[in-house]
Amino acid sequence: MFETAKDLTIEAAVSASARLADTPSSARPAEISKLLNSRIEKDVSNGMKCVISMMSRDDNALPYFADVVKNITSNNAKVRNMVMIYTTRYAEIEPDTALLAINSIQKALSDKNPNTRSMSIKSLSAIRISSIAPILQLCVKRTVTDNSPLVRSSTAIAIGKVYEIDKQGSKQLFEYLAKLLADTEPMVVGTAIKSFVKIMGQTELSQWKWSMIHGHYRRFCKLLPEFDEWSRSIAIDLLTDYARLFLPRPKLYVGEESIDIPETMNGFPEEYDVTMDSDLELLINSMSSLVKSNAPFVLFSIVRSLVSLAPSKTLKQFNIPTILCAMATDSENTPINLFALQAISTICEFDKTLFQSQYRSLFIFPSDSVDVAKTKLDILSSLVDESNVKYIIEELKYNAIESWDLSVASESIKAIGRCSQVSTEWNRKILKWCLNNIKNAKGEALNEFLTVIRYLIQVQQQMKTNEATKNKEISKIVYNLSLILKDSTLKLPSDAIASIIWIIGEFTKECDNEIAPDVLRVLLKTFAEESENVRYQTLILASKLYSISLDEYKNSQGDSPEQIDEFKSSNIISQMFSYAITLAKADPSFDTRDRARMIDVLLNGSNNSTELASLFLQVPKSAPIMSSLTANNVQGKVLGKFFKVPDWQDTTTLPPASIRKELAVQENKLTASIGSKVTASTITKKIGELPNTKHSVSSLHYNPVKKNDYKLESLDDFFGDESEEDSDSEDVDSDSEEEEDDEEDDEEEEEEEEEEYEDDEVEEEENDEDEDDSDSSGIPQQQYEEVSSDEEESNLLEK
Amino acid sequence: MIEAVYISDTNNNLVYEYLTNLASANFNSLINIINDRQGIVDINANQSVYLYPINSIVIYTLVDNKVNPVLPYVFIFKLMEVIHDYFGKPIAIHKIESNNDTLTLLIDQMLDDGIPNITDFNKLRDIVPFKSFLSKILSKTNEITNATITKQPPLEVLPWRRSDVKYTNNEMYVDIIETVNVILKNDKKKVRTNLDSAFYSTNTFNGKLVPITGNIQGKINFLSHLTGLPHLQLSLNHKIDGSYHQCVENTNSSVLKFIPPDGSFELCNYCIDLNELPKNQQLSSLGQVNVEYNYGLGKNKNEFEIKLYLPIKSGVSKIENLSVEIHLNFNGIIKSSRLTHGDFQFKGNNKAEWNLRTISMGINPILYGSIIGEDKDEDDEEQEQETSEILKPNYIKLIYSNKGCVPSGLKVENLKLLSSKGMPETVKPFKGVKYITKTGDYVVRS
């Protein structure tokens, strides 16, 4: 009943508590302090709410530090949590006051409730004051063996935080982390992996990094399905990198031949067999069940892994193409769409046959964003082959003409241009279609059409068909273009006219110099009325024509100066050329005048210079690049970076597979059931005593570099009467005197227990060994080796 | 990994921020870089901000570039799920402002040192109690129940289900929701033969539209209010190929077994690619409204006709929010000359809407309209004479939803409670099933 009541009144409560939160605003600091110092729990809670909401509004909540920190002893868990969040945020600025809270937070490590313990180690480790590092080390040591997986998970992350402030204790910390990586609970292992990756991401410890993974590789693979989604994705990424570095590259067999798996499988025969290392197979098989989980980023990790480790067959087995296509079209997950499309385009580079049957699901919907549409077009044009070209081109044509967005339209035209590679027949068809549509096109689309036409002509030019038919084709196109140019009803923009003139001039040789002269004749008539770039292109056309006919004349008639003079005066092209030059020399545009003079000097000058001129006027231009658009958007770039993996290593230098022999699982949860003498009660007892003795213990065990002179007073001391505080700490009231006595006793006890405890640990390990008879005795030894090598590494580190 | 979470309104005013540590950039220092950009914004070589606008707010995460690029979005989705669960739907500025303390506690659990940690809202409920202001009594009972659960197994047992679930009304609901996205095209030959008789055309629908591409996005939403640890079995009429919530034990059968999280969650989502269905099934899987669409009609070839057919089908009583959008890709005006049902409105921006709202089955509404090009006024006569060119809409878009069935024909056959620890045997939970069809991009091209 209460639950329903709760559900019903959530709305009401939300607005009601809004009013409540407003009462003591940040404008009245005194009031907040008063609340924080109140003895009534509700007031403190409200005060904390104000402080936290100040933090979340980017107001400075630092002035309340002392008021807040003393509430760490509150009985209300929520208040305590809020204080911890506050403390961890500002501890760096007020280290001295923050230290006061540490004692109390540490006390919470012995709380019965695992949530409290977890929160405690979490906040404690987040206090970035380097002087407390030894205490943190000790706390981590305790919580590594906590019996709640939740606490151990928090410890795994805490290790990363402690490492940041205390690089010198890294050896110890990594040992703890190694223990957690081998934990019995998948949850703890998962978190440990997250933390591990984060720590290793900060430092350049690659050798060290991988040495900790060898022994766990197989177990991690098996545990993948049991991790939470965050750990899954991170673990898959880690294992993929590992496999690239330490596993032999799979081999593909086509018939008798065998080759290493290539980075791209495009153009690879469809039938092949694969052999791969059993460890690699283990990883791939354990991922197969994860494909069905509904966390998209795990899928991206799997895709990354498969593309870099497995042949395209495996991607098909995993049903990746269908899943990605579904993801790319899922209208409720728009931010993911573009990523899915980029992943598809990456896979297409790997093996485009995977998506060849899926092309229809990549057609553009009207609600697609421009980026999505462009990426879809890019993929479509790369998927084209004989079987689907008809449908894809039809769709692209529709988009080119009917699209609601001009940039999508011009992108479609580009895509059509790329599709022409399929066959000569399609090249011809597309060219024809382009010529038909050029009349209706506008703006950018028109320019794209002309670029595509130029590209298609050049492709035809390079084709290995016989010269005569090829030239016939080209002259047909050029003729059509010249008709378009003459059609005064079209009102083409000057840019387009200029481009057409350029194309006609460029390919005039292929048309036996027949069409261009007439075009030039017409253009010269209206030269004065044309726009600047058209006039410029007309000049260029004239000089190209002249240079070509001059060359022809020279070849057929000889090149004596008299003959050339003869040519200049009689030939019609020559006359048009000199007319064009005369006109252009008086052009209002600086550029055109300049160019006209240059060409005049070159072509009308000495024999040598005419050769030079014909060289640069007739040089074949390279085809415009019909580049793919991939990685043009941020998503593409980010994903590209993510998909990067290390290179395969040379098989001969790989360490033997035996390094991946599984290490024993660590029974970190120390309870009576394990059969050791350390019982849960002794641990809690020890943890309970910890706050009083930590200083002595820490100095005993860690020899801190700088002498640690902090006397950690309890909060009661600090906030006690002024008079008492003034006096030395020896001179305290009876309660703390007793405590002091206790402390001394405990100190000794603790030491003894500590030793005892360590003995137990050894014993326990021996027990493990005995139990693990089935496994060879090599395991502990290996473990030992591992540790020793770790030691070296960390020594290096310290230097 | 994730270094900060910000929430702002649409005018870039900060509503909420959470920084994982003191060094993380605060929102106001980033706002000039983010400005009005969308998607992913690079802040520097190592950091990016991911933006996600929803309703009246924008959620941002500041992440380092080493992470899986999709992860930040998934984190935002998780955060929204949690906000919905704690503060109710829809997400709104005032809710965040008045609960920013709880939100901080929640995000503090969801992120530990920037690493996504406990993100499942069921698990968070165990850790961050949602104490609404009014509920002194509630908090008392919480404490009592809390006292009793301490004996129960710890929460790690089922990572997705909170441990102290108690309801007096036990109930569970299954919602199967499918969204149809399709691009249809007129069969060209038909249009030509139909040109002059179209106005009073009495042709019945005979499948003149051909799908070019399409898909059906489906999902099964589940709402469970069940005491204890219920083990459920959901039998569907056919197997679905999709991705499942982690609670589902078997994914290769039409009978799903699972222990549900408490509250509402997405049990499964799937996508049916229409292109992979056989031709004759394609049209029948498009839902309850059939369309007939002709254009280029009339003397000036600038008229069009849309006929909708709503065949009677058992289980479906009415079509809701039915409307048809007519889009042009040039500047022009759309007019309606005759319509049998609903309202027609030209909305400007080359778009018109024919709104039929809720309409019962068995009715066949018709719209007859015409298009006037914008430049028509200037040289009216010239246009009249030489318009050999057809004026037609770019596409029409159909929008509707209906209850009672889904296009793929997916049905729940039964929903059983296999076992339930902690629930008295006499309790018979209420079971409810709902089928909803919606349209996403339902487009007919000219």
Side-chain angles (χ1 to χ4, degrees):
Chain A
M1 198 181 98
F2 285 128
E3 286 293 333
T4 9
K6 202 170 167 182
D7 285 344
L8 285 172
T9 47
I10 277 183
E11 270 302 323
V14 157
S15 45
S17 56
R19 247 172 284 137
L20 183 86
D22 282 342
T23 32
S25 71
S26 52
R28 283 173 284 175
E31 225 165 291
I32 296 179
S33 288
K34 206 172 145 194
L35 283 174
L36 289 171
N37 288 313
S38 164
R39 284 178 189 276
I40 304 159
E41 194 184 297
K42 203 181 159 195
D43 285 350
V44 176
S45 169
N46 284 339
M48 276 315 297
K49 270 187 192 171
C50 296
V51 173
I52 293 289
S53 76
M54 280 173 77
M55 275 165 65
S56 70
R57 282 196 303 257
D58 197 23
D59 292 333
N60 184 15
L62 191 61
Y64 308 105
F65 199 95
D67 296 327
V68 170
V69 163
K70 59 177 277 194
N71 284 310
I72 192 77
T73 52
S74 166
N75 292 323
N76 184 330
K78 191 175 173 183
V79 170
R80 251 189 350 252
N81 287 353
M82 286 195 279
V83 175
M84 286 189 202
I85 291 171
Y86 179 91
T87 318
T88 52
R89 171 85 170 272
Y90 290 112
E92 267 170 284
I93 307 177
E94 292 258 359
D96 293 340
T97 325
L99 284 174
L100 295 169
I102 287 171
N103 206 342
S104 304
I105 303 179
Q106 225 180 337
K107 254 180 200 155
L109 280 180
S110 57
D111 197 280
K112 270 183 200 155
N113 187 339
N115 285 342
T116 315
R117 293 205 298 278
S118 142
M119 191 67 193
S120 163
I121 185 68
K122 183 181 158 177
S123 330
L124 209 52
S125 56
I127 297 175
R128 292 154 186 267
I129 305 172
S130 54
S131 56
I132 64 161
I135 303 172
L136 294 181
Q137 286 261 6
L138 204 72
C139 295
V140 166
K141 189 178 176 184
R142 303 277 147 178
T143 48
V144 159
T145 54
D146 194 284
N147 65 4
S148 158
L150 185 69
V151 180
R152 292 207 297 278
S153 297
S154 299
T155 310
I157 295 176
I159 289 173
K161 291 184 266 187
V162 178
Y163 175 76
E164 262 176 56
I165 57 167
D166 181 25
K167 301 247 152 90
Q168 282 169 346
S170 59
K171 184 195 139 198
Q172 271 297 312
L173 289 173
F174 289 157
E175 267 169 34
Y176 297 142
L177 192 58
K179 271 189 185 174
L180 293 173
L181 283 171
D183 198 275
T184 41
E185 287 288 327
M187 175 196 177
V188 180
V189 179
T191 322
I193 293 175
K194 286 192 269 193
S195 184
F196 176 80
V197 170
K198 184 158 193 225
I199 297 172
M200 293 307 168
Q202 305 163 348
T203 44
E204 296 303 317
L205 299 168
S206 55
Q207 194 66 32
W208 164 257
K209 172 178 175 176
W210 297 118
S211 69
M212 279 175 81
I213 297 299
H214 290 312
H216 297 303
Y217 175 85
R218 289 174 194 168
R219 179 149 186 264
F220 288 174
C221 288
K222 287 176 206 153
L223 283 179
L224 277 181
E226 291 176 53
F227 290 157
D228 73 3
E229 57 215 279
W230 313 104
S231 311
R232 258 183 211 173
S233 144
I234 290 167
I236 291 172
D237 294 344
L238 180 75
L239 294 173
T240 305
D241 289 353
Y242 180 91
R244 293 279 290 202
L245 289 172
F246 294 99
L247 296 181
R249 200 168 172 164
K251 281 199 186 307
L252 302 183
Y253 293 90
V254 186
E256 296 287 294
E257 274 180 72
S258 84
I259 59 155
D260 284 344
I261 183 169
E263 293 291 344
T264 160
M265 305 262 303
N266 266 330
F268 204 79
E270 260 176 58
E271 294 291 322
Y272 56 85
D273 291 318
V274 196
T275 55
M276 55 171 85
D277 190 86
S278 62
D279 283 328
L280 186 57
E281 220 169 337
L282 179 70
L283 172 62
I284 287 169
N285 288 339
S286 62
M287 283 192 291
S288 65
S289 65
L290 306 182
V291 185
K292 290 205 167 180
S293 85
N294 57 0
F297 66 103
V298 176
L299 191 85
F300 280 85
S301 288
I302 295 175
V303 169
R304 171 182 184 265
S305 182
L306 292 180
V307 169
S308 54
L309 297 178
S312 60
K313 240 181 9 189
T314 322
L315 282 146
K316 193 142 205 163
Q317 271 164 20
F318 276 51
N319 214 5
I320 297 284
T322 319
I323 296 173
L324 277 179
C325 282
M327 222 184 242
T329 47
D330 185 354
S331 46
E332 289 191 9
N333 244 343
T334 40
I336 311 289
N337 290 168
L338 203 48
F339 280 116
L341 286 169
Q342 290 293 349
I344 292 174
S345 128
T346 311
I347 297 178
C348 283
E349 280 164 33
F350 178 64
D351 183 2
K352 64 180 190 174
T353 55
L354 286 169
F355 286 95
Q356 227 123 29
S357 59
Q358 310 264 349
Y359 64 92
R360 272 178 192 272
S361 27
L362 297 169
F363 285 175
I364 296 171
F365 279 97
S367 64
D368 284 342
S369 74
V370 174
D371 273 340
V372 168
K374 283 183 177 175
T375 319
K376 279 184 172 177
L377 288 170
D378 181 45
I379 299 168
L380 281 176
S381 63
S382 73
L383 286 181
V384 152
D385 70 359
E386 285 286 1
S387 65
N388 56 25
V389 61
K390 191 177 153 206
Y391 306 103
I392 291 184
I393 295 230
E394 199 178 319
E395 182 64 19
L396 290 176
K397 280 180 186 169
Y398 176 88
N399 283 312
I401 299 170
E402 303 280 358
S403 178
W404 71 104
D405 186 289
L406 285 177
S407 65
V408 172
S410 55
E411 216 58 63
S412 306
I413 299 165
K414 252 189 214 165
I416 292 173
R418 281 200 297 276
C419 290
S420 64
Q421 302 152 359
V422 172
S423 70
T424 47
E425 196 194 336
W426 275 103
N427 188 318
R428 218 164 288 148
K429 278 186 190 168
I430 292 167
L431 202 52
K432 198 175 157 198
W433 178 82
C434 286
L435 289 170
N436 285 339
N437 279 285
I438 211 164
K439 295 167 195 164
N440 305 325
K442 289 179 201 82
E444 206 186 323
L446 184 59
N447 287 337
E448 286 304 335
F449 269 123
L450 291 169
T451 319
V452 169
I453 290 173
R454 174 187 164 188
Y455 170 76
L456 294 175
I457 296 175
Q458 278 177 312
V459 168
Q460 286 206 345
Q461 209 179 10
Q462 282 151 21
M463 269 182 314
K464 288 167 191 150
T465 48
N466 95 49
E467 199 75 12
T469 54
K470 193 164 81 181
N471 286 349
K472 211 174 142 200
E473 282 292 330
I474 293 174
S475 39
K476 228 166 150 186
I477 301 159
V478 174
Y479 176 64
N480 276 322
L481 282 174
S482 72
L483 287 185
I484 289 168
L485 206 59
K486 281 176 193 163
D487 190 344
S488 58
T489 59
L490 285 178
K491 296 174 190 154
L492 290 174
S494 60
D495 276 351
I497 297 178
S499 307
I500 295 175
I501 298 172
W502 184 89
I503 293 173
I504 292 175
E506 192 61 29
F507 299 105
T508 183
K509 234 181 179 175
E510 279 76 11
C511 320
D512 301 326
N513 221 355
E514 275 168 357
I515 301 158
D518 192 47
V519 173
L520 180 62
R521 177 186 63 84
V522 177
L523 281 169
L524 283 174
K525 274 194 208 163
T526 54
F527 190 87
E529 290 131 50
E530 300 293 350
S531 68
E532 183 190 328
N533 44 6
V534 176
R535 293 196 304 267
Y536 180 83
Q537 285 301 337
T538 311
L539 170 69
I540 299 294
L541 175 65
S543 17
K544 276 179 187 163
L545 288 177
Y546 175 72
S547 130
I548 288 167
S549 37
L550 182 65
D551 283 354
E552 271 172 14
Y553 185 82
K554 278 184 191 165
N555 288 342
S556 54
Q557 312 287 330
D559 54 356
S560 65
E562 300 81 41
Q563 277 166 318
I564 288 173
D565 281 339
E566 156 87 26
F567 167 77
K568 277 183 188 164
S569 57
S570 69
N571 187 296
I572 180 78
I573 290 175
S574 157
Q575 280 166 2
M576 281 200 290
F577 169 69
S578 33
Y579 181 51
I581 290 281
T582 321
L583 286 173
K585 273 182 176 170
D587 197 277
S589 155
F590 179 83
D591 251 4
T592 315
R593 289 201 304 274
D594 187 47
R595 190 53 53 97
R597 284 194 201 95
M598 182 186 98
I599 288 169
D600 188 27
V601 169
L602 282 174
L603 282 175
N604 287 331
S606 70
N607 206 4
N608 286 342
S609 63
T610 53
E611 270 169 26
L612 189 67
S614 54
L615 206 62
F616 79 78
L617 283 171
Q618 294 170 37
V619 65
K621 314 286 188 296
S622 61
I625 302 154
M626 285 291 175
S627 67
S628 113
L629 323 149
T630 330
N632 256 2
N633 48 42
V634 192
Q635 280 81 357
K637 266 180 232 152
V638 178
L639 203 66
K641 215 190 257 174
F642 170 66
F643 273 132
K644 266 201 191 113
V645 287
D647 287 333
W648 287 107
Q649 299 298 304
D650 187 3
T651 327
T652 50
T653 61
L654 289 179
S658 59
I659 56 164
R660 279 181 295 278
K661 192 157 199 169
E662 286 186 64
L663 292 175
V665 173
Q666 290 259 350
E667 194 70 63
N668 288 325
K669 176 178 160 183
L670 292 181
T671 54
S673 60
I674 304 169
S676 87
K677 284 178 207 160
V678 184
T679 61
S681 64
T682 53
I683 289 176
T684 32
K685 197 180 156 214
K686 271 148 50 110
I687 292 171
E689 285 154 3
L690 179 64
N692 296 328
T693 56
K694 66 205 169 248
H695 185 64
S696 52
V697 173
S698 65
S699 54
L700 254 173
H701 282 251
Y702 292 100
N703 294 328
V705 185
K706 54 178 174 186
K707 217 176 169 195
N708 212 339
D709 279 342
Y710 285 102
K711 264 270 196 271
L712 290 168
E713 303 155 283
S714 75
L715 273 185
D716 294 332
D717 295 341
F718 183 73
F719 292 105
D721 279 347
E722 292 274 308
S723 58
E724 280 173 359
E725 222 186 286
D726 285 338
S727 58
D728 203 39
S729 59
E730 283 167 41
D731 196 41
V732 283
D733 61 44
S734 57
D735 273 39
S736 32
E737 222 165 16
E738 273 173 39
E739 255 180 48
E740 280 257 309
D741 290 348
D742 279 352
E743 210 173 304
E744 274 171 25
D745 289 347
D746 286 349
E747 227 165 278
E748 287 168 18
E749 245 176 73
E750 175 76 20
E751 272 171 53
E752 281 167 30
E753 267 186 85
E754 190 69 38
E755 276 165 37
E756 203 184 313
Y757 169 73
E758 272 170 12
D759 284 348
D760 286 342
E761 216 172 24
V762 175
E763 258 179 58
E764 195 197 321
E765 267 180 25
E766 280 166 8
N767 285 347
D768 272 358
E769 213 176 300
D770 291 344
E771 278 163 19
D772 286 343
D773 262 353
S774 55
D775 269 321
S776 73
S777 59
I779 293 170
Q781 199 183 358
Q782 207 178 353
Q783 220 170 354
Y784 173 71
E785 275 173 14
E786 197 81 287
V787 171
S788 67
S789 72
D790 289 353
E791 219 157 14
E792 277 171 29
E793 295 278 357
S794 65
N795 284 342
L796 281 172
L797 230 180
E798 275 167 21
K799 280 167 199 171
Chain B
M1 285 189 207
I2 296 176
E3 304 188 9
V5 178
Y6 318 108
I7 299 174
S8 84
D9 63 12
T10 40
N11 297 324
N12 289 335
N13 298 315
L14 179 70
V15 174
Y16 175 86
E17 77 176 1
Y18 176 90
L19 312 177
T20 49
N21 62 53
L22 204 62
S24 313
N26 58 16
F27 183 74
N28 291 328
S29 66
L30 296 177
I31 191 63
N32 289 331
I33 308 173
I34 299 168
N35 239 333
D36 288 324
R37 288 161 69 186
Q38 289 179 333
I40 305 167
V41 181
D42 285 335
I43 299 298
N44 53 40
N46 301 319
Q47 291 175 317
S48 318
V49 170
Y50 282 62
L51 284 77
Y52 186 71
I54 172 168
N55 298 346
S56 57
I57 64 165
V58 188
I59 305 181
Y60 310 75
T61 53
L62 175 67
V63 297
D64 70 41
N65 286 343
K66 284 175 206 148
V67 301
N68 183 324
V70 186
L71 183 144
Y73 279 123
V74 177
F75 182 80
I76 293 176
F77 296 156
K78 285 274 177 189
L79 181 64
M80 270 161 45
E81 205 174 271
V82 171
I83 292 176
H84 284 157
D85 184 63
Y86 270 77
F87 313 132
K89 271 186 191 179
I91 194 165
I93 290 175
H94 74 271
K95 287 181 190 168
I96 291 164
E97 275 178 343
S98 57
N99 292 293
N100 49 20
D101 54 325
T102 313
L103 190 57
T104 304
L105 287 171
L106 286 169
I107 299 183
D108 192 56
Q109 289 298 333
M110 295 178 76
L111 286 177
D112 190 355
D113 199 22
I115 301 171
N117 196 21
I118 300 165
T119 49
D120 193 277
F121 66 86
N122 257 276
K123 234 168 138 189
L124 283 169
R125 281 246 167 169
D126 278 343
I127 300 169
V128 183
F130 179 57
K131 283 188 190 162
S132 51
F133 154 73
L134 90 159
S135 53
K136 261 203 167 174
I137 319 157
L138 282 179
S139 64
K140 280 275 155 57
T141 49
N142 266 350
E143 276 162 34
I144 295 162
T145 43
N146 274 340
T148 52
I149 11 142
T150 39
K151 287 170 203 161
Q152 286 184 356
L155 74 152
E156 292 84 62
V157 172
L158 276 182
W160 59 83
R161 188 172 174 86
R162 64 194 181 102
S163 45
D164 59 333
V165 191
K166 277 213 165 64
Y167 288 99
T168 42
N169 283 340
N170 283 287
E171 46 196 9
M172 46 191 175
Y173 299 96
V174 188
D175 289 4
I176 299 184
I177 303 166
E178 287 189 1
T179 308
V180 184
N181 297 303
V182 67
I183 298 177
L184 293 158
K185 189 179 69 169
N186 237 318
D187 213 342
K188 280 175 197 156
K189 291 165 202 161
K190 193 77 187 175
V191 177
R192 278 190 200 122
T193 57
N194 224 10
L195 265 181
D196 33 19
S197 69
F199 197 93
Y200 289 111
S201 155
T202 48
N203 284 353
T204 48
F205 185 76
N206 52 10
K208 272 189 282 181
L209 295 175
V210 201
I212 296 175
T213 179
N215 59 57
I216 298 169
Q217 311 274 350
K219 61 180 176 183
I220 304 180
N221 283 349
F222 202 94
L223 175 70
S224 89
H225 283 165
L226 297 169
T227 311
L229 267 183
H231 191 206
L232 303 179
Q233 177 185 301
L234 178 71
S235 310
L236 301 166
N237 62 343
H238 59 79
K239 199 188 127 194
I240 41 178
D241 197 18
S243 55
Y244 294 84
H245 190 272
Q246 66 178 128
C247 69
V248 181
E249 290 153 25
N250 56 329
T251 53
N252 272 329
S253 147
S254 64
V255 181
L256 307 175
K257 292 180 182 172
F258 55 96
I259 297 174
D262 184 48
S264 67
F265 64 101
E266 192 180 285
L267 183 69
C268 161
N269 69 61
Y270 55 93
C271 175
I272 299 165
D273 193 346
L274 276 181
N275 311 313
E276 284 176 7
L277 293 178
K279 273 254 153 38
N280 52 359
Q281 273 185 33
Q282 285 182 346
L283 278 172
S284 63
S285 337
L286 287 180
Q288 294 311 307
V289 180
N290 296 326
V291 196
E292 192 182 314
Y293 169 52
N294 284 318
Y295 57 86
L297 311 176
K299 190 174 77 179
N300 299 324
K301 295 181 184 173
N302 64 345
E303 291 165 26
F304 61 90
E305 180 193 47
I306 303 168
K307 290 181 179 180
L308 303 177
Y309 295 86
L310 283 67
I312 293 170
K313 191 182 173 183
S314 64
V316 186
S317 62
K318 60 190 181 205
I319 300 289
E320 287 160 49
N321 303 321
L322 176 62
S323 71
V324 181
E325 284 176 7
I326 299 141
H327 292 257
L328 300 180
N329 58 349
F330 55 88
N331 290 331
I333 296 164
I334 309 167
K335 281 183 178 167
S336 80
S337 40
R338 190 175 79 98
L339 76 170
T340 57
H341 300 81
D343 309 325
F344 180 90
Q345 202 184 0
F346 180 66
K347 300 222 156 186
N349 256 342
N350 306 323
K351 185 179 129 184
E353 190 182 309
W354 178 27
N355 194 344
L356 293 144
R357 293 182 200 88
T358 299
I359 195 164
S360 37
M361 304 303 290
I363 290 174
N364 300 335
I366 300 172
L367 169 74
Y368 204 91
S370 59
I371 299 161
I372 301 158
E374 198 168 59
D375 45 357
K376 183 147 185 177
D377 302 326
E378 297 162 19
D379 37 11
D380 217 38
E381 283 167 36
E382 199 187 335
Q383 196 93 7
E384 288 272 321
Q385 284 160 4
E386 62 168 305
T387 318
S388 57
E389 217 173 290
I390 296 173
L391 281 182
K392 59 181 185 182
N394 188 11
Y395 61 89
I396 62 170
K397 183 174 174 181
L398 195 65
I399 301 157
Y400 70 88
S401 66
N402 71 270
K403 293 189 183 117
C405 73
V406 287
S408 75
L410 187 69
K411 274 206 159 66
V412 174
E413 285 186 337
N414 62 53
L415 175 60
K416 276 189 211 153
L417 190 66
L418 292 180
S419 74
S420 61
K421 281 177 210 157
M423 197 198 288
E425 294 220 347
T426 50
V427 173
K428 286 261 177 323
F430 178 82
K431 301 169 193 169
V433 182
K434 200 157 69 176
Y435 303 93
I436 299 171
T437 306
K438 290 196 281 193
T439 54
D441 266 335
Y442 194 122
V443 171
V444 185
R445 274 185 195 168
S446 297

